Amino acid sequence: MSYDHQKIEAKWQERWAEAGTFEVEADPDRPKFYNLCMYPYPSGSLHQGHVRNYTFGDLLTRYNTMRGFNVLSPMGWDSFGLPAENAAISTRAHPRENTEAQINQMRDQIKRLGAMYDWRRELASHHPDYYRWDQWLFLQLFDQGLAYKAEAPVNWCPNDQTVLANEQVIDGHCERCGAEVIRRNLSQWFFRITDYAERLLDDIDKLDHWPDRVRTMQRNWIGRSEGARFTMQVADMDASFDVFTTRPDTIFGMTFAVVSPEHPVVETLVQGTDVEDEVRVYQQKAARISEVERLAEGDKTGVFTGRYAINPANQQRVPIYVADYVLMGYGTGAIMAVPGQDQRDWDFASKYGIDIIRTVEPPAGFEGEAYVGDGPAINSEFLDGLEMEAAKSRIIDWLEEQRVGRRETQYRLRDWLISRQRYWGCPIPIVSCPDCGYVPVPEDQLPVMLPDIQDYAPKGRSPLAALPEFVETICPACGGPAQRETDTMDTFVDSSWYFLRFTDARNDDRIFDPKDASYWMPVDQYIGGVEHAVLHLLYARFITKVLHDMGLAAVEEPFARLFTQGMITLGGAKMSKSKGNVVGPLELLASHGADALRLYHLFMGPPTDDTVWDQNGIDGTARFLDRVWRLVAGDVGEPTDREEDDADREILAEAHRAVRKVTEDIDRFAFNTAVPALMTFTNALTDYVRAGARRETFDRAVELLLLTLSPMAPHITHELWEMTGHSTLLASEPWPEWDPDLVEREVVTLVVQVNGKVRDRFEVDASIEAEEAERLALDSERIRQWIGEGEVQRVVSRPPRLVNIVVG
RNA sequence: GCCGGAGUGUUGGAAUUGGUAGACAAGGUGGACUCAAAAUCCAUUGCCCUCCAGGGCGUGCGGGUUCGAGUCCCGCCUCCGGCACCA
């Protein structure tokens, strides 16, 4: 008979809520553990990725609680954002109603997993209680010059009708909807994350409990290059432009210069000349083609401006070209071109018949392409003979002495574009006054409430702009007529500080109390998907540093340990609602129960790996739980009060080994091997009962099984704990210790190899000496046959595990 | 192209420090129980040779180090992820 999971799961979910075991307060006398799963977007229904996430999270919540930590485990909702708005457009219901209904539904489903949270701290980004602090935060950044509005070429998604941050453009396509992104010049709000580029990059070194993969991705994204910037004078006219290079040592090999089509100096260079028309046509063409096409590596095109620039190192005149392989968004938008040492410049020079001068001696026989490696400088006057690094330092010093250039570090990272032309987001608390400019909404007028509207459809500007009663206001500075900002904030702003709000979620007076934050922060364990490696995880680091600098957050890094779970795939694609390949957890909760589902997620493979969903697997973990149930309930056999014997000592040793294995495996996130340890132990315990169990031993073995299984399968273990006469709440019991003497094996298998192949095995005393082991091995009839006529040349002993006999 | 990571039975995977490859499951096969089925239990299940006993082969490919290599080194192949006309 299998157990009634429906009944006991509901029962214990209620009991845990009543007990309040997971409702916690800051307590400086107790060690804390802040355990956090990335708060979900309320899509309405859990998918397997959520289940996996919350199963890992809840395991750690329960485990660390049992280990005596004061564990903070909160839950909330990333509830602003496009999907709610798009749903509203099609259903005509208000996004708030939709969102809140979905939150309620998801909260219920999370509770049905048996995952425990301090629900008193629940938050949702779309609540004015929350987003007023988004706005407050925005104003702090504005005051510090870290939030600014500027016109710039930005990414525009024609489908979602809004701008996007660089991080939200994947291979030239919108991260959300996949539409091809185009460039538009628009005036937008930015956060000056580039001011923090260096710290964000350097501090990655401190994140030694983050996956290397994520650290590498962030390093790549921030992308530091060190080099020099110097000024090039245009010959025969009063104009100049700056270039940035990482290879200043190759300056004597410069045979042309290139400016990006968008570069402002182009106008000055060609105005009124006979190439003006040709250059303008080229500029227009470059502007028209999409980012995708432009980035596609291929034939390099460009136009000669008819002008020359002066190489400051040797006063040579070099032709200036306009070419779109130079990007306005990086460095200075202009380069010195050194075809001898750069393949792109080589390609361009070859096509347009420009001179190529090598300034680094390539290895013998190297020809036909640019040489980018190290070597002695040649054709470079005072640099000749120096290796690359030495030559770089020398030329930068020289440029500085000549006052034409300096050492400079460039970052690939761009400022974070945070305004969105959409409705369902946090209003930006700025008033635009014809006299005073951009004026912050005074703090006591926060929050700027998101008004209700009738028409959510995107029209290329924020739907709020169609609401005169929202837009028309008075300037807080001068009292004159003014207009509100109508864009809303990127939802990644909401999620960049929510973990701090959880430490003091009900505070109506401040964003959070620094005392609470300093007790709970940093998040000791953060769990979520790797897809946020350069989005949320970078923004959250940035905002935490800003709050640190303001004296609000004691920590500089928000997440001490990061765990990125693998994706669940089905039929070769990520399991997601949009792909229509979801196997819903709800049916499985009904058919197999939360414990079996949780156990399966733990069991099916390494938590960091992507996994293919296999519906059959869950039968295995459900069967295991049935076996545990029958064993503890006495269906296998009833123990008696007989005398203690070897079998009792052995099964207790097995129990302690299981405790050790589960503890060590949880500590190294090897949940997929912790579960089998308990399966193996349960099988051993079953055999022990069949052979005739002793009451006292059996009861202790079952206690250890239930204690260690409880963070993985909490409901069934709680029920059995109660059924076996315990009046305490299992979740509040201390995590068991193992006895180091008991776990050591007295008898082990000694493997005997001949020439490295296993030929015999013996059960031997674990304390066996090398001599004894060798004697045993050489006395074996089987081994003697394998040695045969051969001569024993060497015997390698690793007692008590192995003896290897080398025969010639 | 550069930077990460991975390749093990039919499948998911295990092997934590160089020491019994395939734990634990899933699936398959055979059996017990049953009028029958489900559930449960038992046996078996890497490939090849063999009546058995036993033997040979085997962790993507090719080399190497070692008494001994899934694990370390060198050179490849394939797949996954990131970055990429970033000067």
Side-chain angles (χ1 to χ4, degrees), chain A residues 39-44 76-85 94-104 106-107 122-128 130-131 134 176 423-426 450 489-492 494-495 498:
Chain A
Y39 76 158
Y41 176 78
S43 55
W77 312 99
D78 185 13
S79 46
F80 268 141
L82 269 180
E85 196 174 328
H94 194 287
R96 185 178 300 112
E97 290 163 23
N98 232 331
T99 300
E100 290 183 353
Q102 294 190 325
I103 287 175
N104 289 335
M106 273 179 85
R107 190 192 302 108
E122 180 178 3
L123 54 79
S125 341
H126 79 284
H127 285 165
Y130 185 85
Y131 71 68
D134 271 333
R176 283 231 83 90
Y423 169 72
W424 192 233
C426 172
L450 181 65
M489 289 186 218
D490 182 3
T491 56
F492 281 105
D494 311 335
S495 57
Y498 77 105

